[in-house]
Amino acid sequence: MAIERTFSIIKPDATERNLTGAVNAVIEKAGLRIVAQKRIRMTKEQAETFYAVHKARPFFGELVAFMTSGPVVVQVLEGEGAIAKYREVMGATDPSKAAEGTVRKLYAKSIGENSVHGSDAPETAAIEIAQFFSGNEIVG
Ligand code: RTP
Ligand code: MG
């Protein structure tokens, strides 16, 4: 399998509970390498752009409000099949449906406040990484 990069966000519900290191431990134990990372406060514009695909969904306003409610940690993860692997490591969107040992099973509070984001395909990974990182900020 090819070496890929995926985009990750440790969401405000997790940074609020001081879980950045705990989430990173799960990521690294799964064999993914954190090749870029920064803690930021997302603006409303950044959150709306990032989740534009969900614009028509009833939870869009709530989602943007949540993502801008506190610090987030944006990351680039690298590894074999990193995109699918990180989706596995995160677990299902709804933590009550997430598998044992996944980040969302361990830490997510609800379907909305679910601790992490991970890209769902190579095309979205490239777009999401470019929204938050310039090339020289990523060190593989
Ligand atoms: P993400 O994009 O954050 O990695 O999560 P995902 O692929 O597992 O889920 P997606 O369907 O893309 O939804 C994006 C985020 O919107 C929030 N959400 N809230 N209240 C709700 O019913 C609801 N459904 C989704 C979650 O924060 C979800 O991660
Ligand atoms: Mg998604």
Side-chain angles (χ1 to χ4, degrees), residues 75-111:
Q75 307 175 307
V76 181
L77 311 181
E78 186 176 84
E80 285 208 1
I83 295 164
K85 182 179 274 184
Y86 188 46
R87 298 287 294 186
E88 245 180 73
V89 168
M90 290 195 304
T93 309
D94 180 349
S96 71
K97 296 181 180 138
E100 289 299 327
T102 61
V103 173
R104 284 167 168 167
K105 177 71 175 187
L106 287 166
Y107 302 122
K109 292 168 79 170
S110 65
I111 190 168

Side-chain angles (χ1 to χ4, degrees), residues 51-69:
Y51 278 123
V53 65
H54 295 309
K55 213 179 175 86
R57 307 283 283 278
F59 58 79
F60 183 71
E62 209 177 289
L63 177 59
V64 170
F66 167 58
M67 292 301 289
T68 57
S69 68

Side-chain angles (χ1 to χ4, degrees), residues 3 8 15-16 18 58 64 67 85 108 135:
I3 300 289
S8 160
T15 61
E16 204 268 331
N18 226 10
V64 170
M67 292 301 289
K85 182 179 274 184

